[in-house]
Amino acid sequence: MAIIPEKETTYLEKYGVTVNRYLTYAQIQQIAEATMKFHTWAERQQNIDMLILIHATDMTVEEIEKHTHDELLQCGLIDEVTLHVDNVYRIYDALEYHESTQRALAQILSEVNKFMDTPVGKNAVQKFARKAMNDGDNKH
């Protein structure tokens, strides 16, 4: 196997910031989970922007917190950093996955299946089956 090269970075001289070109899946997961707690587009986007700065740059949390989101956005830093993170789109993929109807239904089915394996669930199925048979007998 060839030697794996070091993580690629880009230095943004205007801001004195080094940007990692890729977020790890763990970082993307953390950003998605933190973002799902917000309900408006503005809150969600602001959260994403700030977490990208934390995860993708060499800036410390203290350095980032010295400025408001609006300042960091209006000076162009957020857009410049985001442009240099090649897999930033994966954040939106993760959000779409976590908030999809298909995933919600799969989670519901998983919980129903767990319930069905309990004594209460098995008893409910037996009662439902007996009632269905009795209802069928009463139709004749």
Side-chain angles (χ1 to χ4, degrees), residues 65-126:
E65 289 178 344
K66 287 180 185 176
H67 306 281
T68 66
H69 177 267
D70 286 345
E71 290 172 335
L72 297 170
L73 183 63
Q74 291 173 0
C75 77
L77 175 64
I78 290 171
D79 288 338
E80 193 70 26
V81 168
T82 302
L83 281 172
H84 286 88
V85 179
D86 292 345
N87 64 344
V88 75
Y89 67 94
R90 297 245 186 215
I91 295 167
Y92 301 96
D93 290 348
L95 284 167
E96 186 177 316
Y97 168 75
H98 279 290
E99 296 173 335
S100 73
T101 304
Q102 181 179 357
R103 181 170 184 269
L105 290 173
Q107 288 178 313
I108 291 167
L109 286 174
S110 174
E111 291 303 312
V112 168
N113 285 336
K114 287 179 191 173
F115 172 74
M116 297 310 277
D117 287 338
T118 67
V120 173
K122 290 176 184 174
N123 188 36
V125 169
Q126 291 170 351

Side-chain angles (χ1 to χ4, degrees), residues 123-136:
N123 188 36
V125 169
Q126 291 170 351
K127 283 183 180 180
F128 179 77
R130 280 194 301 268
K131 181 175 178 354
M133 286 190 334
N134 290 339
D135 287 348

Side-chain angles (χ1 to χ4, degrees), residues 23 30-31 34-35 46-56:
L23 294 167
Q30 191 273 327
I31 293 170
T35 300
Q46 182 175 339
N47 186 70
I48 290 168
D49 292 345
M50 299 306 272
L51 289 173
I52 287 172
L53 292 181
I54 289 169
H55 288 302

Side-chain angles (χ1 to χ4, degrees), residues 13-46:
E13 191 171 335
K14 179 178 178 181
Y15 305 101
V17 173
T18 301
V19 180
N20 296 324
R21 293 204 34 223
Y22 295 93
L23 294 167
T24 66
Y25 285 169
Q27 291 168 331
I28 291 167
Q29 183 69 41
Q30 191 273 327
I31 293 170
E33 287 175 1
T35 300
M36 288 187 296
K37 297 173 185 171
F38 297 99
H39 301 289
T40 68
W41 176 87
E43 290 173 323
R44 290 167 67 99
Q45 193 57 52
Q46 182 175 339

